């Protein structure tokens, strides 16, 4: 018989509506530490069954639902879920194969980069079974190299160490992969996230379709994804700005590899806008900053940051110019983000005409009952006087 946790009175609404997370303050009593990483049943305050999930008393999220019926974290369990996740994908050489709760494997992320898989185990239960998971991934995909990028700070909240290891095969020192006709350098051991921002693949192509003949600014350009695609699409000029020297070095390598001329500037984007004082007016600006609002506690300051950044971009566009602006903070809903843009445009004395509503790609599936699974949002707007 599996152990049981019970919700305190008044804490069941979110879970009853299908959300799979239980926080410590939702419980009458924290789970026994002996259950950490194991499957535990959950009941409401009246003793009604709510499901089975993985437990960790040390985590802020002490229980994550994985099933309605009793289950064990064994080979059959993982084989079924890994296979189902891979089968949902299109079989691309650059693709997210497993996306945590959205693929019924809480805390497990797996990305494919050609012949290499990069995984992250962000929960104790997944981390304990990483060897089994790796073997099944090789069996299901046929890939022979797996890198464990277990260096995300969130692991500390699960009581896990941060580390990077090659756990299957031998990872090449340098990896060049094709994306939309471009050769890109991928740092699988030290790059952001698992190596690239795979969630922006579709957006690179979308924004580039507007770039021909335009003067383009790629703000927070990181490794140059938007900049490279825009120049490939025959933009008149492209400038990429980022505060990371390491990211810009990779961006420069990518530009040289593809014989593309791009101006790179190492600078904080707020400082860049202040120093330029809009002496240069752009035809297309891309804003893809890091998350300003990782939690609700940071929302107000994040709103100010997004508003100021978008205000400066709107001021820096010619009449009829385009702004492609994104947020990767899940608590920044479309309504909130739209409000920020409207306020910024009003402050600048400009008007925005919507061209595109942007979202994360299909291989980052959104579950309707988990708002946190939808995190990448954006708008492409025309800016007029």
């Amino acid at each position: 018989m599996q152990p049981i946790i019970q919700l305190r009175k008044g804490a069941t609404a979110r879970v009853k509506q299908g959300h799979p997370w239980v926080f410590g303050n939702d419980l009458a009593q924290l789970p026994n530490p002996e259950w950490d990483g194991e499957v535990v049943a959950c009941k409401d305050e009246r003793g009604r069954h709510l499901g089975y999930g993985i437990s960790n008393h040390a985590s802020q999220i002490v229980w994550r639902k994985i099933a309605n019926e009793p289950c064990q974290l064994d080979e059959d369990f993982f084989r079924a879920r890994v296979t189902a996740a891979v089968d949902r994908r299109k079989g691309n050489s650059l693709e997210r194969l497993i996306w945590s709760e959205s693929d019924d494997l809480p805390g497990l992320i797996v990305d494919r980069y050609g012949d290499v898989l990069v995984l992250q185990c962000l929960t104790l239960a997944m981390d304990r079974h990483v060897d089994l998971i790796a073997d099944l991934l090789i069996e299901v995909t046929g890939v022979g190299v797996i890198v464990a990028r277990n260096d995300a700070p969130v692991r500390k909240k699960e009581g896990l160490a941060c580390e990077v290891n090659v756990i299957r095969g031998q990872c090449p020192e340098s990896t060049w992969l094709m994306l939309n006709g471009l050769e890109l350098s991928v740092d699988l051991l030290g790059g952001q996230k698992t190596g690239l921002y795979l969630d922006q693949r579709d957006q690179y192509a979308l924004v580039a379709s507007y770039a021909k003949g335009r003067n383009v600014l790629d703000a927070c350009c990181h490794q140059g994804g938007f900049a490279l695609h825009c120049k490939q699409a025959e933009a008149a000029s492209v400038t990429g700005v980022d505060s990371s020297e390491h990211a810009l070095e990779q961006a420069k390598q990518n530009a040289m590899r593809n014989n593309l001329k791009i101006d790179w500037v190492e600078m904080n984007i707020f400082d860049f806008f202040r120093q330029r004082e809009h002496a240069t007016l752009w035809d297309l600006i891309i804003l893809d900053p890091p998350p300003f609002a990782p939690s609700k506690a940071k929302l107000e300051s994040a709103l100010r940051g997004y508003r100021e950044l978008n205000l400066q971009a709107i001021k820096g566009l010619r009449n009829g110019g385009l702004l492609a602006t994104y947020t990767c903070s899940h608590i920044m809903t479309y309504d909130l983000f739209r409000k920020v843009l409207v306020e910024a445009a009003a402050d600048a004395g400009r008007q925005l005409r919507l061209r595109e509503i942007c979202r994360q790609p299909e291989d980052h599936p959104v579950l309707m009952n988990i708002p946190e699974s939808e995190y990448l949002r954006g708008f492409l707007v025309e800016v007029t006087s």
Side-chain angles (χ1 to χ4, degrees), residues 328-355:
C328 54
S329 302
H330 78 266
I331 59 175
M332 277 290 292
T333 64
Y334 278 109
D335 286 343
L336 264 180
F337 198 22
R338 183 175 187 142
K339 182 174 183 289
V340 164
L341 294 179
V342 170
E343 291 174 352
D347 288 346
R350 313 292 288 276
Q351 179 172 275
L352 306 181
R353 182 171 289 111
L354 181 64
R355 291 285 194 92

Side-chain angles (χ1 to χ4, degrees), residues 1 14 33 54 60 70 77 114 130 141 170 190 199 201-202 211 240 262 279 281 284 287 311 313 320 364 383:
M1 180 177 178
R14 177 172 39 79
I54 53 175
Q60 184 180 8
F77 172 89
V130 65
T141 67
Q170 185 172 352
D199 50 10
R201 299 188 320 278
D202 295 348
I262 298 172
L281 290 179
L284 169 60
L287 294 180
L311 170 63
H364 291 62
V383 179

Side-chain angles (χ1 to χ4, degrees), residues 198-369:
L198 291 182
D199 50 10
Q200 286 287 30
R201 299 188 320 278
D202 295 348
Q203 297 306 310
Y204 293 152
L206 172 68
V207 174
S209 71
Y210 289 89
K212 186 173 182 178
R214 295 180 183 269
N215 296 315
V216 178
L217 171 63
D218 182 5
C220 308
C221 68
H222 194 243
Q223 297 172 12
F226 283 106
L228 294 160
H229 280 79
C230 287
K231 192 60 180 177
Q232 180 194 44
E234 301 180 16
S237 69
V238 179
T239 299
V241 180
D242 203 278
S243 60
S244 168
E245 179 183 5
H246 177 70
L248 284 180
E249 283 302 315
Q250 282 196 281
K252 292 174 184 177
Q253 290 180 29
N254 288 332
M256 290 178 62
R257 183 85 166 203
N258 293 278
N259 197 27
L260 298 173
K261 185 181 182 301
I262 298 172
D263 295 320
W264 305 105
V265 179
E266 183 183 339
M267 189 179 295
N268 176 283
I269 189 59
F270 290 99
D271 294 337
F272 177 84
F273 279 130
R274 288 191 202 99
Q275 287 194 15
R276 292 299 176 99
E277 290 293 334
H278 309 300
T280 301
L281 290 179
W282 310 89
D283 302 308
L284 169 60
I285 294 179
I286 302 114
L287 294 180
D288 187 23
F292 288 170
S295 65
K296 288 184 179 180
K298 301 288 181 64
L299 180 58
E300 284 304 316
S301 63
L303 290 173
R304 290 192 296 271
Y306 283 121
R307 189 180 298 114
E308 176 62 20
L309 187 56
N310 282 277
L311 170 63
Q312 295 303 322
I314 290 169
K315 286 181 176 179
L317 281 163
R318 300 181 191 278
N319 187 38
L322 299 176
L323 171 63
T325 181
Y326 300 90
T327 173
C328 54
S329 302
H330 78 266
I331 59 175
M332 277 290 292
T333 64
Y334 278 109
D335 286 343
L336 264 180
F337 198 22
R338 183 175 187 142
K339 182 174 183 289
V340 164
L341 294 179
V342 170
E343 291 174 352
D347 288 346
R350 313 292 288 276
Q351 179 172 275
L352 306 181
R353 182 171 289 111
L354 181 64
R355 291 285 194 92
E356 308 273 1
I357 297 176
C358 309
R359 50 181 44 90
Q360 63 207 60
E362 292 180 9
D363 60 2
H364 291 62
V366 174
L367 290 186
M368 299 295 285
N369 59 312

Side-chain angles (χ1 to χ4, degrees), residues 127-141:
D127 193 72
R128 283 186 176 176
H129 296 87
V130 65
D131 285 329
L132 172 58
I133 292 168
D135 290 340
L136 291 171
L137 285 167
I138 289 174
E139 176 186 316
V140 172
T141 67

Side-chain angles (χ1 to χ4, degrees), residues 16-27:
K16 283 182 178 179
Q17 290 166 2
H19 200 289
W21 294 351
V22 169
F23 294 87
N25 59 9
D26 291 325
L27 295 177

Side-chain angles (χ1 to χ4, degrees), residues 70-86:
C71 61
Q72 298 292 333
L73 299 180
D74 56 19
E75 184 173 336
D76 290 341
F77 172 89
F78 283 108
R79 175 175 277 109
R81 303 220 170 175
V82 167
T83 301
V86 173

